[in-house]
Amino acid sequence: MIGEQSDGPGLVAQKAAQEAERLVAAIAQGDRDAERDFVLRYQKPVKAMLLARTRNPDLTADLQQDVLFEAICALRRGQLREASKLSAFVIGVARNQLNNYYRSNKRTETLELPDDLPDLSSGSERVEEQERETLAMNAISSLDKVDREILQLTLIDGLKPGVIADRLRMNPDVVRQRKLRATRRVTDFVRRLSQTEPADHNVVGRVT
Amino acid sequence: MTHCNGTLADRCLERYIQGNLPEREAREFEEHFFDCSECLAQVEAMEALTAGLVRHPVKIAKAPIPWPVRGGALMAIAAMLVIGILSYRTFQPKPAQPAVAVSPKSGPVSPQPPSSTQPFSPSSASNALSQLADLTLPVFHAPSLRGQSENLHFENGMKAYSAHDCQGAEKALSQVPAQDEEALASQFYTGVCQMHGGELAAAQATLRKVDAAGDSPQQEAALYYLAQVALARQDSTAARHYLARTISLHGDFEQQARLELNKVQ
């Protein structure tokens, strides 16, 4: 993957499309290892998306399982025509699951699941998540008190910098600046320490 | 797996996590981070930050009372005290005059001793400026949790730095690629090593690059040390400029920068 750092964007995208095509073809042929690879490839982005959309970790865990199972079942049946659009397909399945949940306010039970689906109950993902949260708390506690307050008022209370500035009797520009800086400090810290494998993409002109 | 420059995450991440991003842009961002491990890591980090704040909320302190209100209240208290004292003195029975007259004050007031402060010649002002400069190496806190820096050159550089081996640190840090995550941190520590070694012009140039990169975890420290370099170079204008900018960021160096700015002024 590190080698991809020097690849051009076209080559990187081409490799990604080839990998997607391999997964789709292999799952359609009943390859269980490919199903496990598929789960490893998509469980994190699916979870991140569902958590951002639902803000409910328990519901996210349930829906994540449903999404991955439903996607695997569909791939086994060969329902994806354009294999290179595997990511878009998984996102579509996730949106359907979410929409169904919000329409009926309960998880869909219509899916007939086969018995031989891969085991998704690995605890490592949960451990990673807890570790990230601990890192985030460590990073937050290392911030200046006012920065912590600004993060709380922004991310949890959903207040705009102007309102926060008024409440903390500060200049709105200072609030904006401090919010940006504090957010970056924490996310960079968490990202840097929680990444277990190198990023598999090229970073162009990005300063962190 | 995409060729990402991070601009989409910069634009969308916070609003996406807060649920304020318009649906079309949210979909676009999702399609991106599903194939971009770097942006996915940013989403996960932001979700961890939000979860951390939900579980352990920060207590919001009451805002300080603004000066006009506080000043008014203090004035009212002072006025009441003055009125109280005056009333007490007005109604207090006067003591009987002593039988013996009080002698006048003995002797004239002694003159003030001559001021010990030397007049400020330009050269002594410059020396005073350079003595203000803090050219000691800032402490580097290596991450103690899982996952050291992925860049071996950075890690070796910071090991040398922590052992006060500035030459070794500069040599290793110079090999950190420009596009690496630690590139800016490498520049910063190279700059302070140069400063510590007395290469003030080089330190100034290096630290300016860190500042020019814009908002970053190293920007405030870079500004503070640019001020130190300016002090060491006896350039009071530049020192004041960088100290004022350090203060404007309201970070860890604010108090120290304020103290120094007062002295420089």
Side-chain angles (χ1 to χ4, degrees):
Chain A
M1 288 297 191
I2 291 171
E4 286 183 11
Q5 298 277 333
S6 57
D7 294 345
L11 191 55
V12 175
Q14 194 184 346
K15 279 184 183 174
Q18 281 172 356
E19 173 62 6
E21 279 165 18
R22 182 192 73 80
L23 281 178
V24 172
I27 293 173
Q29 286 166 8
D31 182 344
R32 298 291 178 263
D33 288 341
E35 289 179 359
R36 207 173 49 246
D37 290 347
F38 170 83
V39 170
L40 286 174
R41 164 75 181 80
Y42 283 106
Q43 64 180 357
K44 283 187 174 185
V46 166
K47 185 172 191 173
M49 172 192 175
L50 293 171
L51 191 56
R53 297 263 179 180
T54 64
R55 299 186 188 193
N56 178 337
D58 294 333
L59 175 62
T60 293
D62 291 342
L63 288 177
Q64 179 196 23
Q65 209 163 38
D66 293 349
V67 170
L68 293 171
F69 282 155
E70 188 172 338
I72 288 173
C73 289
L75 291 172
R76 279 184 185 180
R77 292 191 295 266
Q79 285 181 342
L80 178 60
R81 299 254 169 94
E82 287 183 75
S84 59
K85 294 187 175 171
L86 182 57
S87 293
F89 168 73
V90 178
I91 292 171
V93 173
R95 280 189 196 130
N96 280 343
Q97 284 288 342
L98 271 172
N99 290 340
N100 290 340
Y101 172 78
Y102 283 123
R103 253 184 240 124
S104 59
N105 209 18
K106 62 178 182 182
R107 289 168 62 201
T108 49
E109 304 290 344
T110 53
L111 191 65
E112 288 284 328
L113 294 178
D115 299 328
D116 55 348
L117 285 166
D119 180 19
L120 301 183
S121 57
S122 152
S124 65
E125 204 190 345
R126 180 71 197 140
V127 171
E128 256 184 54
E129 192 183 320
Q130 283 173 345
E131 204 168 29
R132 265 199 303 274
E133 200 176 306
T134 308
L135 286 171
M137 285 316 299
N138 289 344
I140 291 166
S141 60
S142 74
L143 292 174
D144 178 87
K145 187 172 176 298
V146 178
D147 287 345
R148 291 202 299 267
E149 290 179 347
I150 290 173
L151 282 186
Q152 172 84 23
L153 291 169
T154 305
L155 296 175
I156 307 303
D157 300 346
L159 300 182
K160 301 277 179 215
V163 180
I164 297 171
D166 197 37
R167 188 182 281 198
L168 299 180
R169 303 194 193 288
M170 295 171 80
N171 185 314
D173 286 337
V174 173
V175 171
R176 268 184 214 102
Q177 169 84 3
R178 293 185 74 144
K179 183 192 77 174
L180 186 73
R181 203 176 46 150
T183 309
R184 283 212 179 143
R185 268 192 190 175
V186 177
T187 54
D188 284 355
F189 183 79
V190 174
R191 199 160 48 95
R192 202 166 55 234
L193 293 190
S194 64
Q195 268 180 348
T196 50
E197 47 190 78
D200 51 357
H201 77 268
N202 288 344
V203 179
V204 179
R206 178 154 170 74
V207 180
T208 54
Chain B
M1 280 177 245
T2 55
H3 202 71
C4 176
N5 59 13
T7 50
L8 194 61
D10 285 345
R11 187 159 53 86
C12 301
L13 180 59
E14 194 184 307
R15 287 183 296 152
Y16 177 71
I17 296 297
Q18 288 180 294
N20 294 333
L21 196 64
E23 185 57 28
R24 193 180 54 79
E25 286 179 62
R27 287 180 177 216
E28 189 190 336
F29 184 48
E30 281 164 353
E31 278 164 21
H32 173 75
F33 77 67
F34 259 66
D35 285 328
C36 174
S37 57
E38 179 73 7
C39 291
L40 173 62
Q42 287 204 46
V43 175
E44 289 179 323
M46 193 66 144
E47 282 174 343
L49 164 60
T50 312
L53 286 169
V54 167
R55 289 205 191 159
H56 309 280
V58 177
K59 271 191 173 179
I60 309 294
K62 282 186 179 174
I65 301 165
W67 254 110
V69 178
R70 210 183 327 175
L74 287 174
M75 293 282 279
I77 293 168
M80 283 165 67
L81 276 174
V82 169
I83 292 168
I85 290 166
L86 285 176
S87 326
Y88 173 77
R89 292 183 72 161
T90 307
F91 295 108
Q92 193 187 27
K94 286 183 180 175
Q97 287 290 326
V100 182
V102 178
S103 63
K105 278 183 183 175
S106 54
V109 177
S110 61
Q112 289 286 332
S115 168
S116 59
T117 316
Q118 295 296 321
F120 260 70
S121 69
S123 61
S124 66
S126 300
N127 285 339
L129 269 185
S130 55
Q131 278 169 13
L132 271 180
D134 170 17
L135 303 183
T136 51
L137 293 173
V139 181
F140 170 69
H141 294 288
S144 55
L145 295 162
R146 183 168 71 92
Q148 297 284 316
S149 167
E150 282 165 17
N151 191 303
L152 198 61
H153 295 307
F154 183 75
E155 211 175 310
N156 290 337
M158 296 324 292
K159 272 183 195 160
Y161 178 88
S162 299
H164 299 284
D165 171 13
C166 278
Q167 274 190 335
E170 281 183 54
K171 194 174 169 189
L173 293 175
S174 68
Q175 293 176 58
V176 175
Q179 72 274 21
D180 191 88
E181 269 189 348
E182 312 288 9
L184 208 57
S186 304
Q187 271 190 338
F188 171 72
Y189 286 107
T190 303
V192 288
C193 279
Q194 290 165 334
M195 177 193 78
H196 187 66
E199 302 168 62
L200 297 180
Q204 190 179 42
T206 311
L207 292 171
R208 271 183 183 165
K209 283 182 198 163
V210 179
D211 174 38
D215 182 53
S216 72
Q218 289 82 25
Q219 190 185 18
E220 187 200 359
L223 286 169
Y224 176 76
Y225 284 103
L226 272 168
Q228 305 312 308
V229 170
L231 286 172
R233 300 184 87 186
Q234 303 177 354
D235 180 352
S236 62
T237 313
R240 276 198 295 271
H241 167 76
Y242 287 120
L243 287 171
R245 286 192 57 205
T246 308
I247 292 166
S248 73
L249 292 179
H250 300 290
D252 304 335
F253 290 88
E254 182 182 0
Q255 203 179 356
Q256 185 61 27
R258 270 187 203 286
L259 287 173
E260 288 184 9
L261 187 60
N262 283 339
K263 287 179 188 169
V264 175
Q265 279 167 346

